[in-house]
Amino acid sequence: MRHMTTLIVFAVTFASSIASAQSWQPPADSQRCPSKWGAGDQRGSGNHMTAATVLRAARLIRTGEVFELGRVLSDSIPLSAGRRFEVVTKRSRLDPGSNHRGSNEELVVSEIGQVGTQFDTFSHQMIAGSMYNCFKVDEISSRTGFTKLGVETVGALMTRGVMIDIAGLKGVDMLASTYEITVQDLQQG
């Protein structure tokens, strides 16, 4: 009976800790809008990117080493479980005429926006139906995408980058796909 009582107390304590951990509520629109850059702003912190900040970032360059952050999409890219990226090259025609013109085409099957590297814009996330700066999803969505908050509003970004080699810290060439980088890893790196 004592073990059962201990188990019940643990279960109640555990359940209440989960409930309190998930009690945060996002701020109301009235608290977060308009942004400090004005009601029509679509760039957010991108507004900090000025000629002066670019010059400041350029002064931090020491080696000139460049790291490509983009990745060519191919069937060998690492993917999260349930994602796919397949490219099938297929023969589409071979003309029997005198020039013997032929062509090949590609068929792509993918969650194209969620594989490889990507840049999520403000239209990617929302609270209820309210996006960044309180743009309403119903007002800016269209059949082919969004009329505001697209990647075209981001502009050029240049800043200092900090590379932390966690795989090197752990003494491996590549981290396991299930390894989660911890705060301690970042502090050690």
Side-chain angles (χ1 to χ4, degrees):
M1 184 66 177
R2 181 172 175 231
H3 294 294
M4 182 60 95
T5 304
T6 303
L7 183 60
I8 291 171
V9 169
F10 172 76
V12 169
T13 304
F14 181 72
S16 65
S17 70
I18 289 175
S20 66
Q22 297 177 357
S23 64
W24 179 83
Q25 293 295 315
D29 285 357
S30 61
Q31 292 176 293
R32 60 186 187 88
C33 302
S35 81
K36 66 181 182 178
W37 292 283
D41 178 63
Q42 298 183 58
R43 290 196 73 207
S45 294
N47 287 295
H48 289 298
M49 189 61 44
T50 64
T53 59
V54 169
L55 284 172
R56 210 166 42 241
R59 286 186 199 110
L60 296 171
I61 296 171
R62 297 287 183 257
T63 66
E65 191 172 359
V66 175
F67 294 92
E68 179 59 49
L69 298 179
R71 186 174 185 121
V72 174
L73 296 177
S74 73
D75 58 359
S76 65
I77 60 174
L79 297 170
S80 301
R83 301 283 185 202
R84 65 193 268 198
F85 185 87
E86 300 169 25
V87 179
V88 179
T89 304
K90 63 184 185 99
R91 193 75 182 258
S92 58
R93 62 187 290 171
L94 180 57
D95 292 342
S98 62
N99 67 7
H100 301 286
R101 181 187 171 276
S103 63
N104 301 297
E105 295 181 9
E106 302 79 29
L107 171 67
V108 177
V109 179
S110 177
E111 293 89 356
I112 195 79
Q114 298 297 321
V115 298
T117 54
Q118 68 183 56
F119 189 90
D120 284 337
T121 61
F122 285 132
S123 59
H124 189 70
Q125 299 290 323
M126 64 186 146
I127 298 170
S130 183
M131 297 178 159
Y132 167 74
N133 215 3
C134 293
F135 285 104
K136 304 299 182 212
V137 69
D138 292 340
E139 295 171 5
I140 67 168
S141 62
S142 72
R143 185 175 184 186
T144 58
F146 293 94
T147 59
K148 296 196 182 299
L149 303 176
V151 74
E152 71 279 1
T153 65
V154 173
L157 301 173
M158 180 185 167
T159 189
R160 174 179 174 231
V162 177
M163 174 83 69
I164 302 175
D165 183 4
I166 302 300
L169 176 73
K170 299 295 182 184
V172 297
D173 289 332
M174 183 183 297
L175 295 173
S177 62
T178 56
Y179 185 81
E180 291 185 23
I181 296 172
T182 66
V183 171
Q184 184 180 8
D185 291 336
L186 298 175
Q187 289 170 340
Q188 288 177 334

